Amino acid sequence: MVSSTTTFSVPTRRKNEMIDITGSVRDIVRRHGIKSGICTVFVPHTTAAVTINENADPDVPRDILVALERIVPREGDYAHSEGNSPAHVKALLTGSSVTVTVEAGKIQLGTWQGIFFCEFDGPRNRQVRVTVLGESAASS
Ligand code: ZN
């Protein structure tokens, strides 16, 4: 049984941004060589998030960010003294973790799916934690 967590950094450049981290997650999972299991991607932040969506057309993450901006306006009845309540609400809507199944050492994403780190209060240096859990190919 393999159970291992790897942390990597994601430097963000904009206030709101979706960054495709599929390649980094794929590499971490591949290094563990598990036959089958699961992989979770967790973001330990309250104004950033992680999600799975289309990574073929860059207009999709662009449109998602525009829609989130409409749903959660920058100005509003916010009391939080830090002034970044819209970012907290966007993170709430998007979520702080995703789980993907792993087969034959590979994460099983759909054809059009990618894993995105979502920044809502950048730019900052962020962390992503990838936990790989499963049966190793060597032990079977
Ligand atoms: Zn805050």
Side-chain angles (χ1 to χ4, degrees):
M1 190 75 171
V2 173
S3 172
S4 163
T5 298
T6 305
T7 301
F8 66 93
S9 298
V10 179
T12 65
R13 294 191 175 80
R14 297 184 204 140
K15 181 86 173 170
N16 291 277
E17 188 175 9
M18 288 175 71
I19 298 171
D20 190 339
I21 58 169
T22 311
S24 303
V25 175
R26 222 186 274 285
D27 287 348
I28 289 165
V29 171
R30 190 185 293 126
R31 273 208 303 275
H32 289 86
I34 68 169
K35 193 174 68 175
S36 71
I38 57 168
C39 162
T40 71
V41 182
F42 175 73
V43 168
H45 303 290
T46 60
T47 55
V50 64
T51 195
I52 293 174
N53 216 291
E54 177 175 332
N55 68 350
D57 180 359
D59 281 343
V60 173
R62 180 264 176 209
D63 289 350
I64 290 170
L65 290 175
V66 169
L68 282 173
E69 195 71 27
R70 204 163 48 233
I71 295 163
V72 188
R74 213 165 276 200
E75 304 300 324
D77 181 17
Y78 303 121
H80 178 43
S81 64
E82 208 183 13
N84 61 355
S85 282
H88 287 290
V89 177
K90 287 175 182 175
L92 160 83
L93 293 173
T94 313
S96 54
S97 72
V98 294
T99 303
V100 189
T101 54
V102 178
E103 295 296 334
K106 293 177 184 166
I107 50 172
Q108 302 295 300
L109 290 170
T111 307
W112 306 108
Q113 287 183 317
I115 304 170
F116 288 92
F117 178 87
C118 305
E119 176 62 82
F120 299 123
D121 196 25
R124 298 190 194 208
N125 195 38
R126 301 294 203 171
Q127 304 295 308
V128 173
R129 294 187 187 144
V130 178
T131 299
V132 178
L133 187 65
E135 192 170 345
S136 83
S139 74
S140 58

